[in-house]
Amino acid sequence: MDFVLWGLENQAKIHYAMPLRHMVGDAFSYMKEYDEIAAVNKKNGDFHSADEFLSGFKKTDRLHPVISLCVYYGESEWDGPFSLKDMLEIPEKIEPLVSDYRMNLVQVRSSGELCFSDPDVNMVFDMSRLIYARDYAKIKEVYSDHDIPADLGVVIGAITESQKLIDHAMESEQRGGQINMCNALEKLRQEGRQEGRWEGILEGIRATVRTCRNFNISEADTVRNIMNEFSLSQEEAVNYVKKYW
């Protein structure tokens, strides 16, 4: 079959007018091919009737099918329209008269039933879907022995909005171009836990400083309090008191 895959919309966010975008884009593609065929027909003058001459399009002429895809890789479920009619308020009596235009939507987060001929594309979809689901056990089970090209790691990081995964993949590319996703994700999880603990410590310091200030405890005593409670040096404690007082 001869067809045109003219448009590939990559959406990290939901676009609530996407069916209309696809309809207009496809229409321009069809009109472009129609104009090209009509120009050739006019030049050749090979019309068999006045109707063909008026149309610029012969009875036997055909256009190529145009296919547009929207690949949505946001973490939330797509709750936008799937067709033109989903964007309209149509009285029931005239609904059968209104033409519809359906959008081709591919959601990464719910693409488990899809199978691509390119193994790299399959891996990107599968890995991204598992990361969205926080199914790290499945990732370890399937990909523990798999080293993948760093550029695929960058794509997966971009899809899942993980700048740290992108940075890790870029660093791996400089060292040889391969990345083990299981090791990378485990490292990121450990870093995340460490960051979470540190955020908890900072919030505790802020709360202590605010409490001391509200109860009219001196800055010097506040410094001693947070030095003892959070095992900080005097210099660190002084800086935090100045910052949060």
Side-chain angles (χ1 to χ4, degrees):
M1 180 180 179
D2 196 9
F3 68 94
V4 177
L5 178 64
W6 92 271
L8 187 64
E9 294 273 0
N10 296 304
Q11 293 292 129
K13 304 297 181 183
I14 298 171
H15 195 308
Y16 290 104
M18 188 57 72
L20 184 61
R21 286 172 58 91
H22 279 207
M23 183 182 73
V24 172
D26 291 354
F28 275 123
S29 294
Y30 285 125
M31 285 301 300
K32 181 177 183 293
E33 187 174 16
Y34 162 75
D35 289 340
E36 292 170 350
I37 293 174
V40 172
N41 287 341
K42 183 178 181 180
K43 180 180 179 181
N44 294 336
D46 188 22
F47 297 112
H48 299 94
S49 68
D51 299 319
E52 288 187 348
F53 178 80
L54 178 65
S55 304
F57 202 74
K58 294 187 291 185
K59 184 178 180 179
T60 55
D61 284 334
R62 293 294 182 269
L63 302 175
H64 290 89
V66 172
I67 300 173
S68 297
L69 298 177
C70 176
V71 179
Y72 169 61
Y73 52 86
E75 187 169 0
S76 302
E77 182 77 22
W78 179 277
D79 63 357
F82 292 88
S83 69
L84 180 63
K85 281 190 174 182
D86 290 341
M87 299 177 61
L88 307 178
E89 289 188 7
I90 314 173
E92 186 177 350
K93 291 183 178 180
I94 67 169
E95 195 273 336
L97 302 176
V98 178
S99 298
D100 199 5
Y101 201 84
R102 183 181 62 84
M103 176 183 67
N104 296 306
L105 177 69
V106 177
Q107 294 194 70
V108 173
R109 70 184 305 277
S110 57
S111 58
E113 74 282 0
L114 299 179
C115 183
F116 301 94
S117 59
D118 188 317
D120 287 348
V121 176
N122 260 328
M123 179 177 292
V124 167
F125 270 70
D126 189 43
M127 185 74 73
S128 300
R129 187 172 60 252
L130 291 173
I131 291 174
Y132 280 150
R134 310 293 192 270
D135 194 349
Y136 298 107
K138 184 68 172 179
I139 293 174
K140 186 174 182 179
E141 175 188 339
V142 177
Y143 295 104
S144 59
D145 298 326
H146 286 66
D147 289 337
I148 68 173
D151 56 352
L152 290 188
V154 172
V155 173
I156 294 169
I159 288 175
T160 57
E161 296 185 342
S162 174
Q163 185 60 47
K164 288 188 176 182
L165 183 55
I166 294 174
D167 294 341
H168 184 80
M170 296 291 287
E171 293 171 5
S172 298
E173 187 171 30
Q174 294 175 356
R175 294 194 300 267
Q178 295 289 317
I179 178 175
N180 185 289
M181 286 298 295
C182 290
N183 294 339
L185 290 172
E186 182 59 31
K187 180 180 178 182
L188 294 177
R189 289 176 67 192
Q190 291 174 0
E191 290 177 355
R193 286 195 292 268
Q194 292 171 356
E195 287 181 0
R197 286 195 293 271
W198 181 240
E199 283 298 320
I201 291 172
L202 286 179
E203 182 55 38
I205 293 173
R206 284 192 290 265
T208 301
V209 172
R210 287 195 299 265
T211 300
C212 291
R213 184 190 60 195
N214 291 339
F215 282 92
N216 297 319
I217 298 173
S218 69
E219 291 188 34
D221 288 337
T222 302
V223 168
R224 283 192 289 272
N225 285 336
I226 64 174
M227 284 176 61
N228 295 330
E229 185 171 351
F230 298 101
S231 301
L232 300 176
S233 68
Q234 184 175 5
E235 182 181 357
E236 290 172 326
V238 168
N239 289 335
Y240 282 124
V241 170
K242 288 180 179 179
K243 183 175 181 180
Y244 298 128
W245 189 262

